[in-house]
Amino acid sequence: PQLYPEVLRGEIDEVARRVYTEVNNGVYRCGFAGSQKAYDAAYDRLFATLDWLSERLSGQRYLVGDTITEADVRLFTTLARFDPVYHGHFKCNRAKLDEMPVLWGYARDLFQTPGFGDTTDFPQIKRHYYIVHSDINPTQIVPVGPDTSVWLTPHHREELGGSPFGD
């Protein structure tokens, strides 16, 4: 697959930069905020960007173009961790991923694509975050949920066209 096609690089860079700054790093700004004001600002930025992504993905299958690009890979890593870790552990709790219909469908679409779900280890992800961040979780208790089998439910995003890896 061509994750960074020359013709789309400008748009990929623009979207990937926003995903990296506002989502990938945004969850950490929420989780490690040192004050209420910093947390509130981080929370607002994160969810404003998730709303923007939902709007963008409501009419197209992938973030840029008709195939998976680097921008999609960057976003998937945070979406996969959202409900198991970031929603509760990092207080990114306006809504769980599975309560954001467009992003939830998009994340499941990617998860069910070779190279995504088959390389995602939810138990390891949870163990890492809940044990390593002892300042946030001093008891190091790892939550049992959420049920990750729902990642395999139908998403119907193929109806938007496109193909994960092109022709």
Side-chain angles (χ1 to χ4, degrees):
Q2 177 58 270
L3 297 177
Y4 194 57
E6 181 106 24
V7 68
L8 297 174
R9 286 184 182 174
E11 189 176 0
I12 291 169
D13 290 347
E14 179 182 325
V15 171
R17 186 177 313 109
R18 187 166 183 185
V19 165
Y20 175 74
T21 302
E22 303 303 326
V23 179
N24 302 141
N25 282 341
V27 294
Y28 283 88
R29 275 194 298 278
C30 287
F32 293 103
S35 70
Q36 188 68 51
K37 183 178 178 181
Y39 167 77
D40 291 348
Y43 181 96
D44 289 346
R45 286 174 63 182
L46 170 64
F47 281 99
T49 303
L50 291 174
D51 290 343
W52 175 78
L53 289 163
S54 289
E55 178 66 29
R56 183 178 185 94
L57 289 164
S58 67
Q60 63 191 55
R61 189 170 181 187
Y62 304 108
L63 286 172
V64 180
D66 292 331
T67 63
I68 292 170
T69 66
E70 179 185 332
D72 299 294
V73 175
R74 286 179 183 265
L75 181 55
F76 177 78
T77 60
T78 298
L79 294 181
R81 289 160 174 77
F82 202 87
D83 287 1
V85 177
Y86 302 141
H87 180 268
H89 189 53
F90 282 2
K91 302 173 214 62
C92 301
N93 61 359
R94 184 186 82 183
K96 295 185 302 179
L97 178 62
D98 70 5
E99 296 169 344
M100 297 181 262
V102 172
L103 288 176
W104 177 227
Y106 166 80
R108 291 192 334 272
D109 186 5
L110 292 178
F111 183 83
Q112 295 170 29
T113 301
F116 288 87
D118 53 339
T119 62
T120 302
D121 184 344
F122 288 117
Q124 188 282 329
I125 289 168
K126 289 192 312 183
R127 276 192 312 274
H128 169 78
Y129 281 90
Y130 282 95
I131 291 172
V132 168
H133 299 135
S134 58
D135 54 331
I136 296 174
N137 184 32
T139 62
Q140 297 183 323
I141 294 171
V142 179
V144 174
D147 175 11
T148 56
S149 68
V150 295
W151 281 82
L152 297 174
T153 59
H155 52 76
H156 307 291
R157 292 204 39 96
E158 64 280 352
E159 295 168 9
L160 293 171
S163 174
F165 304 116
D167 298 333

